[in-house]
Amino acid sequence: MSAAPPTIPPGLRAGRAALAVSFLLQGTVFALLVTCIPEIQHRYGLSDGLLPVFLAAVPVLAGVGSILSEQLVKRTGARAVLRVVQPAVCLSLAAVGLGGALWQLALALGAFGLLVGALDASMNMLGVGLQHRYGRSIMIGFHAAFSLGGILGAALAGLGSHYALGLPVLFGTAAAVVAPLAVLTGTLPRPSAGGTPTAGPAELDDAVREAAEAAARSVPWRPLLPLCLAMAFAYIADASVSNYSVKYLTDGLGSPEDLAKLSYLGYMVAMLLGRALGDRAVQRLGAVPVVRAGAALAAFGFAVAALAPAAWAGIAGFTVLGFGICAIIPQVFAAGGRLFPADSDAAVARLNLFNYAGFLLGSPLVGAIADASSYRWALLAPMLLVLAVLPLADRFAPAPALAPAVG
């Protein structure tokens, strides 16, 4: 007789819903920023050679913010960090739209990067804590909420371009709406008067501490390296789309700015749909065929975009690319967890470092090639890196678990 599934307290369900809203709001803010890169460049007079420097600084500072947040979480808890940092991210977005000098842009983007790193770390810490309390995987749902927010943000950016609102109005209005929602979400759920178990600070911080203790245990690097490479290649591709899809359509294909926003919107829609269907495909076909098909499909999407004769073909290419990439990234984490089932948090923590590595390398790589030749040639670099995932696909197969290392 099978054991009954554990009962999930109502407070944990409320905590899960509140955290999903935080992921959605962050996806919205991030999409607004990356889809308005051409407008930011025009407003501040950034050259094509200087633009990659500013874009690369964001993931660097995000990594710094992520490291600093670990110390803040030890003192105050991940939930407290989230309550403060997410509204501050919205304010830094507004600052990007309100400035006019390069030093103002540098300060605003610097603040955005630091705060986003801290926000990303605190949200994922809380997500891991909730997942430990649930006893099953719920993290993909949080990242699906981020994708949904990306769709919303890209759509809002497109409307802003269509009606020529300008960055001060677009970013300022978005911050004025999202920041209060972030404050409200960060204060929920609170312990109820009736004593119903809730996802309050003590319970969630205990869960985060448990996850951190597991992540602190040592696992060997060597078995993870192929998966680390796959993660980096996938995020280089993602950074290429986030930072340059809209700019490629406007500068390379002569697209109007409102139409160009659809490149990122299509990419995020495909990511959302792929994440909704990906688990079922893995269950039916296995991880290795899904990863191989995803890598091939992503490379094909890059090729379509690079060869696009007009804007709609470029949008179609980036949409296809989204379907391919979404199949790779979740399976990297799943494969790492299968390698070290007793220390899956430690494996996931190490793999997640290559998320930032991919973002850090992707923007300067594409920007430098585009500055030396054209965006068409620049898109071929991440295409080749995505194809390099194909020989790594065998490492995604279920295999006998490795024993945890002592450390």
Side-chain angles (χ1 to χ4, degrees):
M1 184 175 179
S2 61
T7 302
I8 306 299
L12 282 183
R13 296 184 187 276
R16 180 183 179 183
L19 187 58
V21 173
S22 293
F23 271 89
L24 184 144
L25 295 178
Q26 174 58 4
T28 303
V29 170
F30 184 77
L32 277 168
L33 180 75
V34 298
T35 53
C36 290
I37 286 175
E39 291 94 327
I40 294 172
Q41 184 180 18
H42 177 73
R43 179 176 181 85
Y44 289 93
L46 277 173
S47 67
D48 288 340
L50 192 57
L51 178 63
V53 177
F54 277 78
L55 295 180
V58 174
V60 171
L61 291 170
V64 174
S66 180
I67 294 171
L68 293 176
S69 70
E70 294 180 13
Q71 302 304 316
L72 292 175
V73 166
K74 290 178 182 178
R75 295 174 180 271
T76 63
R79 194 163 175 261
V81 174
L82 175 63
R83 282 200 302 265
V84 174
V85 169
Q86 187 154 42
V89 169
C90 300
L91 296 179
S92 67
L93 176 71
V96 172
L98 293 173
L102 280 181
W103 67 268
Q104 293 172 322
L105 177 63
L107 288 178
L109 283 180
F112 186 88
L114 284 170
L115 293 167
V116 161
L119 176 60
D120 179 63
S122 61
M123 287 195 306
N124 281 286
M125 286 178 188
L126 287 171
V128 170
L130 282 170
Q131 182 166 280
H132 273 251
R133 287 294 186 259
Y134 263 72
R136 57 184 171 86
S137 176
I138 59 174
M139 285 294 291
I140 292 177
F142 294 134
H143 289 273
F146 180 89
S147 298
L148 182 60
I151 294 169
L152 178 60
L156 291 174
L159 290 174
S161 293
H162 182 74
Y163 291 105
L165 296 181
L167 291 183
V169 174
L170 180 62
F171 286 1
T173 303
V177 173
V178 176
L181 291 175
V183 172
L184 178 63
T185 302
T187 59
L188 297 175
R190 295 187 179 190
S192 64
T196 303
T198 64
E203 183 175 2
L204 284 184
D205 289 344
D206 285 346
V208 170
R209 189 190 67 250
E210 293 168 8
E213 290 173 354
R217 293 195 291 269
S218 177
V219 298
W221 272 104
R222 187 172 180 179
L224 289 174
L225 285 179
L227 299 176
C228 292
L229 289 175
M231 176 70 84
F233 295 157
Y235 271 103
I236 286 173
D238 183 77
S240 301
V241 179
S242 299
N243 291 329
Y244 289 107
S245 62
V246 176
K247 187 165 176 58
Y248 168 56
L249 262 68
T250 54
D251 294 3
L253 300 180
S255 168
E257 288 183 350
D258 53 351
L259 179 62
K261 310 294 185 190
L262 296 181
S263 60
Y264 189 73
L265 178 62
Y267 176 75
M268 294 304 294
V269 169
M271 290 276 282
L272 178 62
L273 293 177
R275 284 171 173 165
L277 302 174
D279 286 336
R280 189 173 300 175
V282 170
Q283 292 169 8
R284 294 189 61 181
L285 303 174
V288 173
V290 169
V291 170
R292 282 179 176 157
L297 192 60
F300 177 70
F302 269 122
V304 171
L307 299 173
W312 282 106
I315 293 169
F318 289 120
T319 302
V320 171
L321 171 57
F323 277 113
I325 288 296
C326 74
I328 299 173
I329 295 171
Q331 289 309 307
V332 171
F333 289 119
R338 285 194 295 268
L339 277 175
F340 300 97
D343 293 309
S344 60
D345 291 322
V348 168
R350 292 196 172 187
L351 291 169
N352 194 52
L353 293 174
F354 289 81
N355 167 352
Y356 290 111
F359 269 106
L360 177 60
L361 294 173
S363 179
L365 175 67
V366 173
I369 298 175
D371 192 44
S373 55
S374 69
Y375 283 106
R376 292 186 186 273
W377 286 105
L379 292 177
L380 297 180
M383 182 192 78
L384 293 175
L385 291 176
V386 167
L387 284 175
V389 175
L390 290 173
L392 302 174
D394 289 339
R395 301 304 182 101
F396 289 79
L402 298 177
V406 178

